[in-house]
Amino acid sequence: RVLETARKAVEKAQELFTGLEKKARLAVGLARKIGQRMELEREREAERQRQELARQAEIRHQEDIRAVEREHNLERTRSRGRGRSRDRGYDPW
């Protein structure tokens, strides 16, 4: 009778252990999936930030180009103005 009780206790312990083992495997798998998703999200965020920085750099570059063009146009306008006044010369009549 004691042996039968001990055998049943061992069987029950094995069942519990098997259940815990399955749950542990599921938990490990879930933790891996969560980790992979977090890593993917980090990669996506890093890529989004790289694209945003590239976009801002392009905007600054275009602004620099426009500033240079404006400066160039101002210089041309100034040099034209001086040229005209010199072409007219001094005419007292």
Side-chain angles (χ1 to χ4, degrees):
R1 186 167 171 106
V2 172
L3 287 176
E4 181 65 23
T5 303
R7 187 184 60 75
K8 286 183 181 179
V10 168
E11 286 176 4
K12 186 65 175 172
Q14 286 175 335
E15 288 173 15
L16 291 172
F17 181 76
T18 300
L20 289 173
E21 199 175 29
K22 286 180 185 177
K23 287 180 182 181
R25 277 196 302 272
L26 289 172
V28 167
L30 183 58
R32 281 190 183 129
K33 276 187 181 179
I34 290 170
Q36 288 169 349
R37 286 183 186 167
M38 289 175 67
E39 181 60 29
L40 183 60
E41 186 58 35
R42 276 193 293 269
E43 289 172 6
R44 286 181 183 157
E45 179 61 19
E47 179 60 25
R48 186 195 67 74
Q49 288 178 1
R50 278 191 295 273
Q51 288 177 353
E52 178 62 18
L53 289 173
R55 186 184 73 79
Q56 290 174 4
E58 179 61 25
I59 289 170
R60 283 192 302 275
H61 179 68
Q62 292 299 325
E63 288 171 349
D64 290 345
I65 289 172
R66 284 192 289 276
V68 167
E69 288 172 348
R70 280 193 300 274
E71 185 63 29
H72 178 71
N73 288 337
L74 283 174
E75 288 297 320
R76 283 182 28 200
T77 302
R78 287 181 196 139
S79 66
R80 282 185 195 154
R82 286 192 300 267
R84 275 192 232 123
S85 62
R86 267 191 252 122
D87 291 344
R88 290 186 198 136
Y90 176 72
D91 188 6
W93 310 109

Coordinates of all heavy atoms in Angstrom, one line a residue:
R1 N 0.8 -1.2 0.0 CA 0.0 0.0 0.0 C 0.9 1.3 0.0 O 0.6 2.2 -0.7 CB -0.9 0.0 1.2 CG -1.9 1.1 1.2 CD -3.0 0.8 2.3 NE -3.8 1.9 2.4 CZ -5.0 2.0 2.0 NH1 -5.6 1.0 1.4 NH2 -5.7 3.1 2.1
V2 N 1.9 1.3 0.8 CA 2.8 2.4 0.8 C 3.5 2.6 -0.6 O 3.7 3.7 -1.1 CB 3.9 2.2 1.9 CG1 5.0 3.3 1.8 CG2 3.2 2.2 3.3
L3 N 3.9 1.4 -1.2 CA 4.5 1.5 -2.5 C 3.6 2.0 -3.6 O 4.0 2.8 -4.4 CB 5.0 0.1 -2.9 CG 6.2 -0.5 -2.2 CD1 6.5 -1.9 -2.6 CD2 7.4 0.4 -2.5
E4 N 2.3 1.6 -3.5 CA 1.3 2.1 -4.4 C 1.1 3.6 -4.3 O 1.0 4.4 -5.2 CB -0.1 1.4 -4.2 CG -1.2 1.8 -5.1 CD -0.9 1.5 -6.6 OE1 -0.1 0.6 -6.9 OE2 -1.5 2.1 -7.4
T5 N 1.1 4.1 -3.1 CA 0.9 5.6 -2.8 C 2.2 6.3 -3.3 O 2.1 7.4 -3.9 CB 0.8 5.8 -1.3 OG1 -0.4 5.1 -0.8 CG2 0.6 7.3 -1.0
A6 N 3.3 5.7 -3.1 CA 4.6 6.3 -3.6 C 4.6 6.4 -5.1 O 5.0 7.4 -5.7 CB 5.8 5.6 -3.0
R7 N 4.2 5.3 -5.7 CA 4.1 5.2 -7.2 C 3.2 6.3 -7.8 O 3.5 7.0 -8.7 CB 3.7 3.8 -7.6 CG 3.8 3.6 -9.1 CD 3.3 2.2 -9.6 NE 1.9 2.0 -9.2 CZ 0.8 2.6 -9.9 NH1 1.0 3.4 -10.9 NH2 -0.4 2.3 -9.6
K8 N 2.0 6.4 -7.1 CA 1.1 7.4 -7.6 C 1.6 8.9 -7.4 O 1.4 9.7 -8.2 CB -0.3 7.3 -6.9 CG -1.1 6.1 -7.3 CD -2.4 6.0 -6.6 CE -3.2 4.8 -7.1 NZ -4.5 4.7 -6.4
A9 N 2.3 9.1 -6.3 CA 2.9 10.4 -6.1 C 4.0 10.7 -7.1 O 4.1 11.8 -7.6 CB 3.5 10.4 -4.7
V10 N 4.8 9.7 -7.5 CA 5.8 9.8 -8.5 C 5.2 10.1 -9.9 O 5.6 11.1 -10.6 CB 6.7 8.6 -8.6 CG1 7.6 8.6 -9.8 CG2 7.6 8.5 -7.4
E11 N 4.1 9.4 -10.2 CA 3.4 9.7 -11.4 C 2.8 11.1 -11.5 O 2.9 11.8 -12.5 CB 2.2 8.7 -11.6 CG 2.7 7.3 -12.0 CD 1.6 6.3 -12.1 OE1 0.4 6.7 -12.0 OE2 1.8 5.1 -12.4
K12 N 2.2 11.5 -10.4 CA 1.7 12.9 -10.3 C 2.8 13.9 -10.4 O 2.6 14.9 -11.1 CB 0.9 13.0 -9.0 CG 0.2 14.3 -8.8 CD -1.0 14.4 -9.8 CE -1.8 15.6 -9.6 NZ -2.7 15.9 -10.7
A13 N 3.9 13.7 -9.8 CA 5.0 14.6 -9.9 C 5.5 14.7 -11.3 O 5.9 15.8 -11.8 CB 6.1 14.2 -8.9
Q14 N 5.6 13.5 -12.0 CA 6.0 13.5 -13.4 C 5.1 14.3 -14.3 O 5.5 15.0 -15.2 CB 6.2 12.1 -13.9 CG 7.4 11.4 -13.3 CD 7.5 9.9 -13.8 OE1 6.5 9.3 -14.0 NE2 8.7 9.4 -13.7
E15 N 3.8 14.1 -14.1 CA 2.7 14.8 -14.8 C 2.9 16.3 -14.6 O 2.9 17.1 -15.6 CB 1.3 14.4 -14.4 CG 0.9 13.0 -14.9 CD -0.4 12.6 -14.3 OE1 -1.2 13.5 -13.8 OE2 -0.7 11.4 -14.4
L16 N 3.1 16.7 -13.4 CA 3.3 18.1 -13.1 C 4.5 18.7 -13.7 O 4.5 19.8 -14.3 CB 3.3 18.4 -11.5 CG 2.0 18.1 -10.8 CD1 2.2 18.2 -9.3 CD2 0.9 19.2 -11.2
F17 N 5.6 17.9 -13.6 CA 6.8 18.3 -14.2 C 6.7 18.5 -15.7 O 7.2 19.4 -16.3 CB 8.0 17.4 -13.8 CG 9.3 17.8 -14.4 CD1 10.0 18.8 -13.8 CD2 9.8 17.1 -15.5 CE1 11.3 19.2 -14.3 CE2 11.0 17.5 -16.0 CZ 11.8 18.6 -15.4
T18 N 6.1 17.5 -16.4 CA 5.9 17.6 -17.8 C 5.1 18.8 -18.2 O 5.4 19.5 -19.1 CB 5.1 16.3 -18.3 OG1 5.9 15.2 -18.0 CG2 4.9 16.3 -19.8
G19 N 4.0 19.1 -17.4 CA 3.2 20.3 -17.6 C 4.1 21.6 -17.5 O 4.0 22.5 -18.3
L20 N 4.9 21.6 -16.4 CA 5.7 22.8 -16.2 C 6.8 22.9 -17.3 O 7.1 24.0 -17.8 CB 6.5 22.7 -14.9 CG 5.6 22.9 -13.6 CD1 6.4 22.6 -12.4 CD2 5.0 24.3 -13.6
E21 N 7.3 21.8 -17.8 CA 8.2 21.8 -18.9 C 7.6 22.3 -20.2 O 8.2 23.2 -20.9 CB 8.7 20.3 -19.1 CG 10.0 20.2 -19.9 CD 10.5 18.7 -19.9 OE1 9.6 17.8 -19.9 OE2 11.7 18.5 -20.0
K22 N 6.4 22.0 -20.5 CA 5.7 22.5 -21.7 C 5.5 24.0 -21.5 O 5.7 24.7 -22.5 CB 4.4 21.8 -21.8 CG 4.5 20.4 -22.4 CD 3.1 19.7 -22.5 CE 3.2 18.3 -22.9 NZ 1.9 17.6 -23.0
K23 N 5.1 24.4 -20.3 CA 4.8 25.8 -20.1 C 6.1 26.6 -20.2 O 6.1 27.7 -20.8 CB 4.2 26.1 -18.8 CG 2.7 25.6 -18.8 CD 2.1 25.9 -17.4 CE 0.6 25.4 -17.4 NZ -0.1 25.6 -16.2
A24 N 7.2 26.0 -19.7 CA 8.5 26.7 -19.8 C 8.9 26.9 -21.3 O 9.4 27.9 -21.7 CB 9.6 25.9 -19.0
R25 N 8.7 25.8 -22.1 CA 9.1 25.9 -23.5 C 8.3 27.0 -24.2 O 8.8 27.7 -25.0 CB 8.9 24.5 -24.2 CG 10.1 23.6 -24.0 CD 10.0 22.4 -25.0 NE 8.8 21.6 -24.9 CZ 8.6 20.6 -24.1 NH1 9.6 20.2 -23.3 NH2 7.5 19.9 -24.1
L26 N 7.0 27.0 -23.9 CA 6.1 28.0 -24.5 C 6.5 29.4 -24.1 O 6.6 30.3 -24.9 CB 4.6 27.8 -24.1 CG 3.9 26.6 -24.7 CD1 2.6 26.4 -24.1 CD2 3.8 26.8 -26.2
A27 N 6.9 29.6 -22.8 CA 7.3 30.9 -22.3 C 8.6 31.3 -23.0 O 8.8 32.5 -23.4 CB 7.5 30.8 -20.8
V28 N 9.6 30.4 -23.2 CA 10.8 30.7 -23.8 C 10.5 31.1 -25.3 O 11.1 32.1 -25.8 CB 11.8 29.5 -23.8 CG1 13.0 29.7 -24.7 CG2 12.3 29.3 -22.4
G29 N 9.7 30.4 -26.0 CA 9.3 30.7 -27.3 C 8.7 32.1 -27.4 O 9.0 32.9 -28.3
L30 N 7.8 32.3 -26.5 CA 7.1 33.6 -26.5 C 8.1 34.8 -26.2 O 8.1 35.8 -26.9 CB 6.0 33.7 -25.4 CG 5.2 34.9 -25.3 CD1 4.5 35.2 -26.6 CD2 4.2 34.8 -24.2
A31 N 9.0 34.5 -25.3 CA 10.1 35.5 -25.0 C 10.9 35.8 -26.2 O 11.3 36.9 -26.5 CB 10.9 35.1 -23.8
R32 N 11.3 34.7 -27.0 CA 12.1 34.9 -28.2 C 11.3 35.8 -29.2 O 11.9 36.7 -29.8 CB 12.4 33.6 -28.8 CG 13.5 32.9 -28.1 CD 14.0 31.7 -28.9 NE 15.0 31.0 -28.2 CZ 15.0 29.7 -27.9 NH1 14.1 28.9 -28.4 NH2 16.0 29.1 -27.3
K33 N 10.0 35.4 -29.4 CA 9.2 36.2 -30.3 C 9.1 37.7 -29.9 O 9.3 38.6 -30.8 CB 7.8 35.7 -30.4 CG 7.6 34.5 -31.3 CD 6.1 34.2 -31.5 CE 5.9 33.0 -32.4 NZ 4.5 32.6 -32.5
I34 N 8.9 37.9 -28.7 CA 8.9 39.3 -28.2 C 10.2 40.0 -28.4 O 10.2 41.1 -28.9 CB 8.5 39.3 -26.7 CG1 7.0 38.9 -26.5 CG2 8.7 40.7 -26.1 CD1 6.6 38.7 -25.1
G35 N 11.3 39.3 -28.1 CA 12.6 39.9 -28.4 C 12.8 40.2 -29.8 O 13.4 41.2 -30.2
Q36 N 12.4 39.3 -30.7 CA 12.6 39.5 -32.2 C 11.7 40.7 -32.6 O 12.2 41.6 -33.4 CB 12.2 38.3 -32.9 CG 13.1 37.1 -32.8 CD 12.6 35.8 -33.4 OE1 11.4 35.7 -33.7 NE2 13.4 34.8 -33.5
R37 N 10.5 40.8 -32.1 CA 9.7 42.0 -32.5 C 10.3 43.3 -31.9 O 10.2 44.3 -32.6 CB 8.3 41.8 -31.9 CG 7.5 40.7 -32.6 CD 6.1 40.6 -32.1 NE 5.4 39.5 -32.8 CZ 4.2 39.0 -32.4 NH1 3.7 39.5 -31.3 NH2 3.7 38.0 -33.0
M38 N 10.8 43.2 -30.7 CA 11.4 44.5 -30.2 C 12.6 44.9 -31.0 O 12.8 46.1 -31.3 CB 11.8 44.2 -28.7 CG 10.6 44.2 -27.8 SD 11.1 43.7 -26.1 CE 12.0 45.2 -25.6
E39 N 13.4 43.9 -31.4 CA 14.6 44.2 -32.2 C 14.2 44.7 -33.6 O 14.8 45.7 -34.1 CB 15.5 42.9 -32.4 CG 16.7 43.1 -33.3 CD 17.7 44.2 -32.7 OE1 17.7 44.3 -31.4 OE2 18.4 44.8 -33.4
L40 N 13.2 44.2 -34.2 CA 12.7 44.6 -35.5 C 12.1 46.1 -35.3 O 12.4 46.9 -36.2 CB 11.5 43.7 -36.0 CG 10.9 44.0 -37.3 CD1 12.0 44.0 -38.4 CD2 9.8 43.1 -37.6
E41 N 11.4 46.3 -34.2 CA 10.9 47.7 -34.0 C 12.1 48.7 -33.8 O 12.0 49.8 -34.3 CB 10.0 47.7 -32.8 CG 9.3 49.0 -32.6 CD 8.5 49.5 -33.7 OE1 7.9 48.6 -34.4 OE2 8.4 50.7 -34.0
R42 N 13.1 48.3 -33.1 CA 14.3 49.1 -33.0 C 15.0 49.4 -34.3 O 15.3 50.6 -34.6 CB 15.3 48.5 -32.0 CG 15.1 48.7 -30.6 CD 16.3 48.3 -29.7 NE 16.5 46.9 -29.7 CZ 16.0 46.0 -28.9 NH1 15.2 46.4 -27.9 NH2 16.3 44.7 -29.0
E43 N 15.1 48.4 -35.2 CA 15.6 48.6 -36.5 C 14.8 49.5 -37.3 O 15.3 50.4 -38.0 CB 15.8 47.2 -37.2 CG 16.9 46.3 -36.6 CD 16.9 44.9 -37.2 OE1 16.1 44.7 -38.2 OE2 17.6 44.1 -36.7
R44 N 13.5 49.3 -37.3 CA 12.6 50.2 -38.0 C 12.7 51.7 -37.5 O 12.7 52.6 -38.3 CB 11.1 49.8 -37.9 CG 10.8 48.5 -38.7 CD 9.4 48.1 -38.5 NE 9.1 46.9 -39.2 CZ 8.1 46.1 -38.9 NH1 7.2 46.4 -37.9 NH2 7.8 45.0 -39.6
E45 N 12.8 51.9 -36.2 CA 12.9 53.2 -35.7 C 14.2 53.8 -36.1 O 14.3 55.0 -36.4 CB 12.8 53.2 -34.1 CG 12.9 54.5 -33.5 CD 11.9 55.5 -33.9 OE1 10.8 55.2 -34.4 OE2 12.1 56.8 -33.7
A46 N 15.3 53.0 -36.0 CA 16.6 53.5 -36.4 C 16.6 53.9 -37.9 O 17.1 55.0 -38.3 CB 17.7 52.5 -36.2
E47 N 15.9 53.1 -38.8 CA 15.8 53.5 -40.2 C 15.0 54.7 -40.4 O 15.3 55.6 -41.2 CB 15.2 52.3 -40.9 CG 15.0 52.5 -42.4 CD 16.3 52.8 -43.2 OE1 17.4 52.4 -42.7 OE2 16.2 53.5 -44.2
R48 N 13.9 54.8 -39.6 CA 13.1 56.0 -39.7 C 13.9 57.3 -39.4 O 13.8 58.3 -40.0 CB 11.8 55.9 -38.8 CG 10.8 57.0 -39.0 CD 9.8 57.1 -37.9 NE 10.4 57.5 -36.6 CZ 10.8 58.7 -36.3 NH1 10.8 59.7 -37.1 NH2 11.4 59.0 -35.1
Q49 N 14.7 57.2 -38.3 CA 15.5 58.3 -37.9 C 16.5 58.6 -38.9 O 16.8 59.8 -39.2 CB 16.1 58.0 -36.5 CG 15.2 58.1 -35.4 CD 15.8 57.7 -34.1 OE1 17.0 57.5 -34.0 NE2 15.0 57.8 -33.0
R50 N 17.2 57.6 -39.5 CA 18.1 57.8 -40.6 C 17.5 58.6 -41.8 O 18.0 59.5 -42.3 CB 18.7 56.5 -41.1 CG 19.9 56.0 -40.2 CD 20.6 54.8 -40.9 NE 19.8 53.7 -41.1 CZ 19.6 52.7 -40.2 NH1 20.3 52.8 -39.0 NH2 18.9 51.6 -40.4
Q51 N 16.3 58.1 -42.1 CA 15.6 58.8 -43.3 C 15.2 60.2 -42.9 O 15.3 61.1 -43.8 CB 14.3 58.0 -43.6 CG 14.6 56.7 -44.3 CD 13.4 55.9 -44.6 OE1 12.3 56.2 -44.2 NE2 13.5 54.8 -45.3
E52 N 14.8 60.4 -41.7 CA 14.5 61.8 -41.3 C 15.7 62.7 -41.3 O 15.6 63.8 -41.8 CB 13.8 61.8 -39.9 CG 13.5 63.2 -39.3 CD 12.5 63.9 -40.1 OE1 11.7 63.3 -40.9 OE2 12.4 65.1 -40.0
L53 N 16.8 62.2 -40.8 CA 18.1 63.0 -40.9 C 18.5 63.3 -42.3 O 18.9 64.4 -42.6 CB 19.2 62.2 -40.1 CG 19.0 62.2 -38.6 CD1 20.1 61.3 -38.0 CD2 19.1 63.6 -38.0
A54 N 18.3 62.3 -43.2 CA 18.7 62.5 -44.6 C 17.8 63.5 -45.2 O 18.2 64.3 -46.0 CB 18.6 61.1 -45.3
R55 N 16.5 63.4 -44.9 CA 15.5 64.4 -45.4 C 15.9 65.8 -44.9 O 15.9 66.8 -45.7 CB 14.1 64.1 -44.9 CG 13.0 64.9 -45.5 CD 11.6 64.6 -44.9 NE 11.5 65.0 -43.6 CZ 11.2 66.3 -43.2 NH1 11.1 67.2 -44.1 NH2 11.1 66.6 -42.0
Q56 N 16.2 66.0 -43.6 CA 16.6 67.3 -43.1 C 17.9 67.8 -43.8 O 18.0 69.0 -44.1 CB 16.8 67.2 -41.6 CG 15.4 67.0 -40.9 CD 15.6 66.8 -39.4 OE1 16.7 66.9 -38.9 NE2 14.5 66.6 -38.7
A57 N 18.8 66.9 -44.0 CA 20.1 67.3 -44.7 C 19.8 67.7 -46.1 O 20.4 68.7 -46.6 CB 21.1 66.1 -44.7
E58 N 18.9 67.0 -46.8 CA 18.5 67.4 -48.1 C 17.8 68.8 -48.1 O 18.1 69.7 -49.0 CB 17.6 66.4 -48.8 CG 17.2 66.7 -50.2 CD 18.3 66.8 -51.2 OE1 19.4 66.3 -50.9 OE2 18.1 67.5 -52.2
I59 N 17.0 69.0 -47.2 CA 16.3 70.4 -47.0 C 17.4 71.4 -46.8 O 17.3 72.5 -47.5 CB 15.3 70.3 -45.9 CG1 14.1 69.5 -46.3 CG2 14.9 71.8 -45.5 CD1 13.1 69.2 -45.2
R60 N 18.3 71.2 -45.9 CA 19.4 72.2 -45.7 C 20.2 72.4 -46.9 O 20.6 73.6 -47.3 CB 20.3 71.8 -44.5 CG 19.6 72.0 -43.1 CD 20.6 71.8 -42.0 NE 21.3 70.5 -42.0 CZ 20.8 69.4 -41.4 NH1 19.6 69.5 -40.8 NH2 21.4 68.3 -41.5
H61 N 20.5 71.3 -47.6 CA 21.3 71.4 -48.9 C 20.5 72.3 -49.9 O 21.1 73.2 -50.5 CB 21.5 70.0 -49.4 CG 22.3 70.0 -50.7 ND1 23.6 70.4 -50.8 CD2 21.9 69.7 -52.0 CE1 24.0 70.3 -52.0 NE2 23.0 69.8 -52.8
Q62 N 19.2 72.0 -50.1 CA 18.4 72.8 -51.0 C 18.4 74.3 -50.6 O 18.5 75.2 -51.4 CB 17.0 72.3 -51.1 CG 17.0 70.9 -51.8 CD 17.5 70.9 -53.2 OE1 17.3 71.9 -54.0 NE2 18.2 69.9 -53.6
E63 N 18.3 74.5 -49.3 CA 18.3 75.9 -48.8 C 19.6 76.6 -49.0 O 19.6 77.8 -49.4 CB 17.9 75.9 -47.3 CG 16.5 75.6 -46.9 CD 16.3 75.4 -45.5 OE1 17.2 75.3 -44.7 OE2 15.1 75.4 -45.1
D64 N 20.7 75.9 -48.9 CA 22.0 76.4 -49.2 C 22.1 76.8 -50.6 O 22.7 77.8 -51.0 CB 23.1 75.4 -48.8 CG 23.3 75.2 -47.3 OD1 22.7 76.1 -46.5 OD2 23.9 74.3 -46.9
I65 N 21.6 75.9 -51.5 CA 21.7 76.2 -52.9 C 20.9 77.4 -53.3 O 21.4 78.3 -54.0 CB 21.1 75.0 -53.7 CG1 22.1 73.8 -53.7 CG2 20.8 75.3 -55.2 CD1 21.6 72.5 -54.2
R66 N 19.7 77.5 -52.7 CA 18.9 78.7 -52.9 C 19.6 80.0 -52.4 O 19.5 81.0 -53.0 CB 17.5 78.6 -52.3 CG 16.6 77.6 -53.1 CD 15.1 77.7 -52.7 NE 14.9 77.1 -51.4 CZ 14.7 75.8 -51.2 NH1 14.7 75.0 -52.2 NH2 14.5 75.3 -50.0
A67 N 20.2 79.9 -51.3 CA 20.9 81.1 -50.7 C 22.0 81.5 -51.6 O 22.2 82.7 -51.9 CB 21.4 80.7 -49.3
V68 N 22.8 80.5 -52.1 CA 23.9 80.8 -53.1 C 23.3 81.5 -54.3 O 23.9 82.4 -54.9 CB 24.7 79.6 -53.4 CG1 25.6 79.8 -54.6 CG2 25.5 79.1 -52.2
E69 N 22.2 80.9 -54.8 CA 21.6 81.5 -56.0 C 21.1 82.9 -55.8 O 21.3 83.8 -56.6 CB 20.4 80.6 -56.5 CG 20.9 79.3 -57.1 CD 19.7 78.3 -57.4 OE1 18.6 78.6 -56.9 OE2 19.9 77.3 -58.1
R70 N 20.5 83.1 -54.6 CA 20.1 84.5 -54.3 C 21.2 85.5 -54.2 O 21.2 86.6 -54.8 CB 19.3 84.5 -53.0 CG 17.9 84.1 -53.1 CD 17.1 84.4 -51.8 NE 17.7 83.7 -50.6 CZ 17.4 82.5 -50.2 NH1 16.5 81.8 -50.9 NH2 17.9 82.0 -49.1
E71 N 22.3 85.0 -53.6 CA 23.5 85.8 -53.5 C 24.1 86.1 -54.9 O 24.5 87.3 -55.2 CB 24.6 85.2 -52.6 CG 25.8 86.0 -52.3 CD 25.5 87.3 -51.6 OE1 24.5 87.3 -50.8 OE2 26.3 88.2 -51.8
H72 N 24.1 85.1 -55.7 CA 24.6 85.3 -57.1 C 23.8 86.3 -57.8 O 24.3 87.2 -58.5 CB 24.6 83.9 -57.8 CG 25.1 84.0 -59.2 ND1 26.4 84.2 -59.5 CD2 24.4 83.8 -60.4 CE1 26.5 84.2 -60.9 NE2 25.3 84.0 -61.4
N73 N 22.4 86.2 -57.7 CA 21.5 87.1 -58.4 C 21.7 88.5 -57.8 O 21.7 89.5 -58.6 CB 20.1 86.7 -58.2 CG 19.8 85.4 -59.0 OD1 20.5 85.1 -60.0 ND2 18.8 84.7 -58.7
L74 N 21.9 88.7 -56.6 CA 22.2 90.0 -56.0 C 23.4 90.6 -56.6 O 23.5 91.8 -56.9 CB 22.2 89.9 -54.5 CG 20.9 89.8 -53.7 CD1 21.2 89.6 -52.2 CD2 20.1 91.1 -53.9
E75 N 24.5 89.8 -56.6 CA 25.8 90.2 -57.2 C 25.6 90.7 -58.6 O 26.1 91.7 -59.0 CB 26.8 89.2 -57.1 CG 27.3 88.9 -55.6 CD 28.0 90.1 -55.1 OE1 28.7 90.8 -55.8 OE2 27.8 90.4 -53.9
R76 N 24.9 89.9 -59.4 CA 24.6 90.3 -60.8 C 23.9 91.5 -60.9 O 24.2 92.4 -61.7 CB 23.9 89.1 -61.5 CG 24.8 88.0 -61.8 CD 24.1 86.8 -62.6 NE 23.0 87.3 -63.4 CZ 22.0 86.5 -63.8 NH1 22.1 85.2 -63.5 NH2 21.1 86.9 -64.6
T77 N 22.8 91.7 -60.0 CA 22.0 92.9 -60.0 C 22.9 94.1 -59.7 O 22.8 95.2 -60.3 CB 20.9 92.8 -59.0 OG1 20.1 91.6 -59.4 CG2 20.0 94.0 -59.1
R78 N 23.7 94.0 -58.7 CA 24.6 95.1 -58.3 C 25.6 95.4 -59.4 O 25.8 96.6 -59.6 CB 25.4 94.7 -57.0 CG 24.6 94.7 -55.8 CD 25.4 94.3 -54.5 NE 24.5 93.9 -53.4 CZ 24.8 92.9 -52.6 NH1 25.9 92.2 -52.7 NH2 23.9 92.7 -51.7
S79 N 26.2 94.4 -60.0 CA 27.2 94.7 -61.0 C 26.5 95.4 -62.2 O 27.1 96.2 -62.9 CB 28.0 93.5 -61.4 OG 27.1 92.5 -62.0
R80 N 25.3 95.0 -62.5 CA 24.6 95.6 -63.7 C 24.3 97.1 -63.3 O 24.4 97.9 -64.2 CB 23.2 94.9 -63.9 CG 23.4 93.6 -64.6 CD 22.0 93.0 -64.9 NE 22.1 91.6 -65.3 CZ 21.1 90.8 -65.1 NH1 20.0 91.1 -64.6 NH2 21.3 89.5 -65.5
G81 N 23.9 97.3 -62.1 CA 23.6 98.7 -61.7 C 24.8 99.6 -61.8 O 24.7 100.7 -62.3
R82 N 25.9 99.1 -61.4 CA 27.1 99.9 -61.5 C 27.5 100.1 -62.9 O 28.0 101.2 -63.3 CB 28.3 99.2 -60.7 CG 28.1 99.3 -59.2 CD 29.4 98.9 -58.5 NE 29.8 97.5 -58.8 CZ 29.4 96.5 -58.1 NH1 28.7 96.7 -57.0 NH2 29.8 95.3 -58.4
G83 N 27.3 99.1 -63.7 CA 27.7 99.2 -65.1 C 26.9 100.2 -65.8 O 27.4 101.0 -66.6
R84 N 25.6 100.3 -65.6 CA 24.7 101.3 -66.2 C 25.1 102.7 -65.9 O 25.2 103.6 -66.7 CB 23.3 101.0 -65.8 CG 22.6 100.0 -66.7 CD 21.1 100.0 -66.4 NE 20.8 98.6 -66.2 CZ 20.2 98.2 -65.1 NH1 19.8 99.0 -64.2 NH2 19.9 96.9 -64.9
S85 N 25.4 102.9 -64.6 CA 25.8 104.3 -64.2 C 27.1 104.7 -64.8 O 27.3 105.9 -65.1 CB 25.8 104.4 -62.6 OG 26.8 103.6 -62.1
R86 N 28.0 103.8 -65.0 CA 29.3 104.1 -65.6 C 29.1 104.3 -67.1 O 29.7 105.2 -67.7 CB 30.3 103.0 -65.4 CG 31.1 103.2 -64.2 CD 32.3 102.2 -64.1 NE 32.0 101.3 -63.1 CZ 31.9 100.0 -63.2 NH1 32.1 99.4 -64.4 NH2 31.7 99.2 -62.2
D87 N 28.2 103.6 -67.7 CA 27.9 103.7 -69.1 C 27.3 105.1 -69.4 O 27.6 105.7 -70.4 CB 27.0 102.7 -69.6 CG 27.6 101.3 -69.6 OD1 28.9 101.2 -69.5 OD2 26.9 100.3 -69.8
R88 N 26.5 105.6 -68.6 CA 25.9 106.9 -68.8 C 26.9 108.0 -68.7 O 26.8 109.0 -69.4 CB 24.8 107.2 -67.8 CG 23.6 106.3 -68.0 CD 22.5 106.7 -67.0 NE 21.5 105.6 -67.0 CZ 21.0 105.1 -65.9 NH1 21.3 105.6 -64.7 NH2 20.2 104.1 -66.0
G89 N 27.9 107.8 -67.8 CA 28.9 108.8 -67.6 C 28.3 110.2 -67.1 O 27.2 110.2 -66.7
Y90 N 29.1 111.2 -67.1 CA 28.7 112.5 -66.7 C 28.3 113.3 -67.9 O 29.1 113.5 -68.8 CB 29.8 113.1 -65.9 CG 29.5 114.5 -65.4 CD1 28.6 114.7 -64.4 CD2 30.1 115.6 -66.0 CE1 28.2 116.0 -64.0 CE2 29.7 116.9 -65.6 CZ 28.8 117.1 -64.6 OH 28.5 118.3 -64.2
D91 N 27.1 113.7 -67.9 CA 26.6 114.5 -69.0 C 26.0 115.8 -68.4 O 24.9 115.8 -67.9 CB 25.5 113.8 -69.7 CG 25.1 114.5 -71.0 OD1 25.7 115.5 -71.4 OD2 24.1 114.0 -71.6
P92 N 26.8 116.9 -68.4 CA 26.3 118.2 -67.8 C 25.1 118.8 -68.7 O 24.5 119.7 -68.2 CB 27.5 119.1 -67.8 CG 28.4 118.5 -68.9 CD 28.1 117.1 -69.0
W93 N 24.9 118.4 -69.9 CA 23.9 119.0 -70.7 C 22.7 118.3 -70.6 O 21.7 118.1 -70.8 CB 24.4 119.1 -72.2 CG 25.8 119.6 -72.3 CD1 26.9 119.0 -72.6 CD2 26.2 121.0 -72.1 NE1 28.0 119.8 -72.6 CE2 27.5 121.0 -72.3 CE3 25.5 122.2 -71.7 CZ2 28.3 122.2 -72.2 CZ3 26.2 123.3 -71.6 CH2 27.6 123.3 -71.9

